[in-house]
Amino acid sequence: QVQLVESGGGSVQAGGSLRLSCAAYGYTYSVHCMGWFRQAPGKEREGVAALYSVGGRTLYADSVQGRFTISQDNAKITLYLQMNNLKPEDTAAYYCAADPRVRGCSIRPPQYTYWGQGTQVTVSS
């Protein structure tokens, strides 16, 4: 089992920055992929970014490429999402997730087994 706890959400004006954190607890050594996802009211959950826990290769949605950066600490127990040049369309609840299965990482929500409770990001124009 892996437990995930997000923090760092908040309200910011367009063009501003936020950094989200996701603390992982439990069998973190078993995690192969970690990702950030978001869900706006009335919309489906969508992938934002993903990271291979071994090697650190990253994947991004086109909508955030060049603005967001996913990373993890050296102990691989905290996942980060640095969000720069935020736009009103980035407003959503943001979730981190983990996949223990050794296979290719993606930003497809169904791949992921463990989920955090989410943290709200609101960007005003």
Side-chain angles (χ1 to χ4, degrees), residues 76-97:
K76 301 178 183 179
I77 59 174
T78 304
L79 184 73
Y80 301 101
L81 185 68
Q82 178 66 43
M83 304 185 294
N84 298 329
N85 190 23
L86 282 160
K87 304 176 180 180
E89 51 263 42
D90 294 319
T91 295
Y94 282 71
Y95 301 85
C96 70

Side-chain angles (χ1 to χ4, degrees), residues 58-71:
T58 57
L59 305 168
Y60 294 95
D62 289 344
S63 58
V64 306
Q65 181 77 48
R67 300 188 297 123
F68 291 11
T69 303
I70 187 172
S71 62

Side-chain angles (χ1 to χ4, degrees), residues 67-125:
R67 300 188 297 123
F68 291 11
T69 303
I70 187 172
S71 62
Q72 64 183 9
D73 68 341
N74 288 338
K76 301 178 183 179
I77 59 174
T78 304
L79 184 73
Y80 301 101
L81 185 68
Q82 178 66 43
M83 304 185 294
N84 298 329
N85 190 23
L86 282 160
K87 304 176 180 180
E89 51 263 42
D90 294 319
T91 295
Y94 282 71
Y95 301 85
C96 70
D99 178 12
R101 289 161 288 191
V102 180
R103 55 180 178 176
C105 298
S106 77
I107 55 172
R108 296 177 59 252
Q111 172 176 347
Y112 290 78
T113 302
Y114 303 111
W115 291 84
Q117 82 290 346
T119 185
Q120 180 67 35
V121 171
T122 302
V123 185
S124 58
S125 57

